[in-house]
Amino acid sequence: MDNHIVIMAGGIGSRFWPMSTPECPKQFIDVMGCGRTLIQLTADRFDGVCPRENVWVVTSEKYIDIVREQLPEIPESNILAEPCARNTAPCIAYACWKIKKKHPNANVVVTPSDALVIDTGEFRRVVEKALRFTDNSSAIVTLGIRPTRPETGYGYIAAGDPIMTDKEIFTVDAFKEKPDRETADRYLAEGGYFWNAGIFVWNVRTITSVMRVYAPGIAQIFDRIFPDFYTEKENETIKKLFPTCEAISIDYAVMEKAQEIYVLPASFGWSDLGTWGALRGLLPQDKSGNATVGPDVRLYESKNCIVHTSEEKRVVIQGLDGYIIAEKDQTLLICKLDEEQRIKEFSK
């Protein structure tokens, strides 16, 4: 199989301010304090699925140098610059049309750059199973995460019946918006509902033909760009035509409309790391529920806090319960964890 990985890395991670900023968003930061940034961890977990020369990154023009620096083993021609943000459907089309030009039988995994996976061995097993399924079919597979709680912050996938040839893969009945708590409780109790991780698997023949049906405007734009890929005209043509794409997610453009959509439920310790609270839940905690990232953080009579510091300085905290303390580049945030939805407001 001619396997390729597309990493979407254009987001600005505004909910993780001040650690994440428009100049260097969270996908390029060592969020976990493990010595690897989120985009590096994303690329690492596909080792063994395909060689690094088959890894592609779609990102904003202003992050090209950061991607080069953090993923030097990826060919420069595989780092695709979006002239402007146009959501995930044009982002995915950009990568898949370009891959198809030189790899017409490519089998592709599309993944966000800023999620976390704990069990990378199980992740690779699931991804390889999905790739085998899509290699010689017109199927689209999305990975569904088995829910561990009634989460209201994720979209859900409602599974139908298992397919005849593999009881691990199910048809998709529907994609569900982020639910309220009552609906999330019902999803968990009923079973058959999975978190939508935004990880998709298909071959390039399938996605380009499906987009011609359900997102014809975007498909027509990339059909016009296609002849200029790998030529000196490519950058000029992208800058001219990419901004004319409709700004729409792949879920709305394709996934909710297409016919041959399947879900492969999985459990590999996934989190989208969307909030400081989610990060606190994934980091090691002391006996008082505090999680810290930083070279010298000391807590006294404090509990249920997350402290994230990037500078080489001592941080001493006393008497706080349920707070975010985050510092970067001369900015310090001290915010109640249960008020973290206001961080976008604070960052302005």
Side-chain angles (χ1 to χ4, degrees), residues 202-214:
W202 47 53
N203 63 54
V204 287
R205 298 183 306 276
T206 297
I207 190 60
T208 51
S209 63
V210 166
M211 287 192 79
R212 286 192 181 100
V213 174
Y214 298 108

Side-chain angles (χ1 to χ4, degrees), residues 179-204:
D180 58 25
R181 179 56 189 262
E182 183 181 350
T183 305
D185 283 332
R186 178 170 60 80
Y187 288 169
L188 195 63
E190 288 181 8
Y193 291 88
F194 305 97
W195 293 337
N196 184 354
I199 303 172
F200 308 110
V201 186
W202 47 53
N203 63 54
V204 287

Side-chain angles (χ1 to χ4, degrees), residues 2 28 31-32 34 52 65 106 123 144 199 253 264 295 318 344:
D2 188 10
F28 305 119
V31 172
M32 303 297 292
C34 65
R52 286 290 173 108
D65 288 340
F123 175 82
I199 303 172
L264 205 171
Q318 186 275 330
K344 283 187 183 181

Side-chain angles (χ1 to χ4, degrees), residues 92-142:
I92 287 167
Y94 185 178
C96 289
W97 257 258
K98 181 157 184 175
I99 291 169
K100 189 178 181 182
K101 181 80 180 273
K102 281 194 175 178
H103 307 272
N105 298 309
N107 221 8
V108 178
V109 183
V110 176
T111 180
S113 58
D114 55 0
L116 186 70
V117 166
I118 303 298
D119 188 346
T120 55
E122 174 63 7
F123 175 82
R124 280 191 288 269
R125 184 194 73 80
V126 169
V127 166
E128 286 169 349
K129 175 184 276 284
L131 285 164
R132 287 192 295 272
F133 183 58
T134 60
D135 187 38
N136 292 305
S137 74
S138 55
I140 292 174
V141 175
T142 180

